[in-house]
Amino acid sequence: GAKWTYNGPDGEHNWSSNYPFCGGAFQSPIDFQTQLLRYDPNLPPIQVQNYNLSTNEQLTLSNNGHSVQLSLPSHMYISSLPHRYSAAQLHFHWGSSNLLTGSEHTVNGKRFAGEMHVVHFNSDKYPNISMAVDKHDGLAVLGVFIEIGEFNPAFDKFFKYMNGIKYRDQKIQVPAFNIHALLPAHLDEYYRYDGSLTTPPCYPSVLWTVFRRPVTISRKQFLALATALYASYAQESTTVPLHGNYRKPQLADNRVVLVSFKD
Ligand SMILES: NS(=O)(=O)c1c(F)c(F)c(S(=O)(=O)CCO)c(N[C@H]2CCc3ccccc32)c1F
Ligand SMILES: [Zn+2]
């Protein structure tokens, strides 16, 4: 599709000229403002299966020019939703080395340092993510806020390979590891709403689950994420740093955000 960026002439205010859904309804991310929240006691704790991958599996770590993404095997899935949602990939959104705020979702205007998204597709109804990505019940994304704090050994399982994918379209194979270790404590506390991809083509096809509790990574780990990558190709003479890859909050319109916690 047409090229898009987070800043400049191809930035998010112009996405809708090539990607009409980006100007449509049910867009993500949104700001979780208190007045939008409604406690729903029927929201079950999120349960995932087969997230503890064996180290003799290999995953593809790649720089797609918009984010760093880790491919995930489809035998990983979410089991606590009405359909089985099988994993496809995980990726990140972050700010920059001096702007330690790059999450997409915000809580009463508070922006976290970054946000991880684990993208799943409805494998009960669709054979792969490409067939699911534009369907109303196609995708389920788990969102995890990232804060600067304690060193996180789970993230280093692949952060240490980032220098192998500095440039756009570079990819390497990395040993698999326990993806569950990337998730926060308390998978029973989360925000839930109907939304969209936060990148073009912005299809309104995502059941969003954003966990209330953040995970922490160290400042050194965060800087590795925020400063290691380029959106430009290796052979290009002008380098374009890959940072600030977060979409601004969209209109909630009259959407309600369900929460599984009372406070
Ligand atoms: N924030 S988000 O969760 O909405 C989201 C992204 F932010 C993002 F960058 C990507 S991407 O594939 O890395 C690049 C542009 O699609 C995807 N990729 C998804 C969307 C389309 C697609 C097709 C095949 C595999 C993954 C994806 C995504 F779902
Ligand atoms: Zn994302």
Side-chain angles (χ1 to χ4, degrees):
K3 67 181 166 69
W4 56 271
T5 62
Y6 284 95
N7 299 294
D10 301 317
E12 58 184 278
H13 302 296
N14 296 326
W15 288 355
S16 56
S17 34
N18 287 311
Y19 301 97
F21 284 107
C22 297
F26 289 97
Q27 290 298 287
S28 294
I30 60 173
D31 181 28
F32 296 138
Q33 296 174 9
T34 305
Q35 68 265 22
L36 297 177
L37 309 184
R38 187 191 307 156
Y39 170 60
D40 180 348
N42 302 320
L43 288 176
I46 295 299
Q47 290 184 323
V48 293
Q49 310 300 329
N50 306 329
Y51 262 48
N52 189 357
L53 299 175
S54 75
T55 50
N56 52 39
E57 268 193 277
Q58 292 221 310
L59 304 174
T60 304
L61 183 68
S62 60
N63 173 345
N64 60 29
H66 308 295
S67 183
V68 51
Q69 82 176 50
L70 192 63
S71 67
L72 297 174
S74 57
H75 59 77
M76 286 174 53
Y77 65 94
I78 301 171
S79 52
S80 51
L81 290 173
H83 290 290
R84 174 179 293 200
Y85 282 83
S86 297
Q89 52 111 291
L90 64 83
H91 62 268
F92 295 85
H93 303 269
W94 58 88
S96 62
S97 49
N98 47 30
L99 188 67
L100 303 186
T101 54
S103 68
E104 295 209 299
H105 292 92
T106 51
V107 179
N108 288 320
K110 173 189 163 66
R111 189 176 298 285
F112 293 81
E115 191 169 333
M116 176 179 75
H117 291 153
V118 192
V119 183
H120 304 72
F121 69 96
N122 183 337
S123 48
D124 280 352
K125 292 182 71 173
Y126 309 106
N128 56 55
I129 188 162
S130 299
M131 294 298 288
V133 71
D134 61 346
K135 307 299 189 295
H136 70 95
D137 57 355
L139 302 185
V141 181
L142 301 181
V144 180
F145 290 126
I146 297 171
E147 288 219 303
I148 310 290
E150 287 293 300
F151 173 79
N152 192 318
F155 281 81
D156 251 42
K157 296 280 183 195
F158 59 97
F159 274 4
K160 64 189 176 189
Y161 298 108
M162 301 268 272
N163 282 325
I165 53 161
K166 290 190 80 61
Y167 297 96
R168 182 173 182 153
D169 289 355
Q170 290 186 330
K171 51 182 71 179
I172 53 173
Q173 297 289 94
V174 301
F177 59 97
N178 181 6
I179 305 297
H180 198 281
L182 301 177
L183 301 180
H186 304 281
L187 301 185
D188 58 329
E189 296 188 353
Y190 55 85
Y191 303 88
R192 162 68 50 75
Y193 77 102
D194 292 319
S196 74
L197 299 179
T198 67
T199 60
C202 304
Y203 295 128
S205 60
V206 180
L207 181 66
W208 278 99
T209 300
V210 179
F211 293 111
R212 183 190 197 184
R213 306 288 180 94
V215 296
T216 66
I217 61 176
S218 67
R219 178 176 295 272
K220 187 167 176 287
Q221 287 180 302
F222 180 84
L223 289 174
L225 177 65
T227 61
L229 305 177
Y230 294 106
S232 46
Y233 293 95
Q235 64 273 14
E236 280 184 87
S237 51
T238 52
T239 58
V240 178
L242 176 48
H243 58 209
N245 60 339
Y246 60 93
R247 191 187 193 183
K248 309 306 172 288
Q250 305 298 303
L251 289 174
D253 293 316
N254 53 6
R255 280 181 281 181
V256 166
V257 176
L258 299 177
V259 290
S260 64
F261 52 90
K262 282 183 91 158
D263 246 334

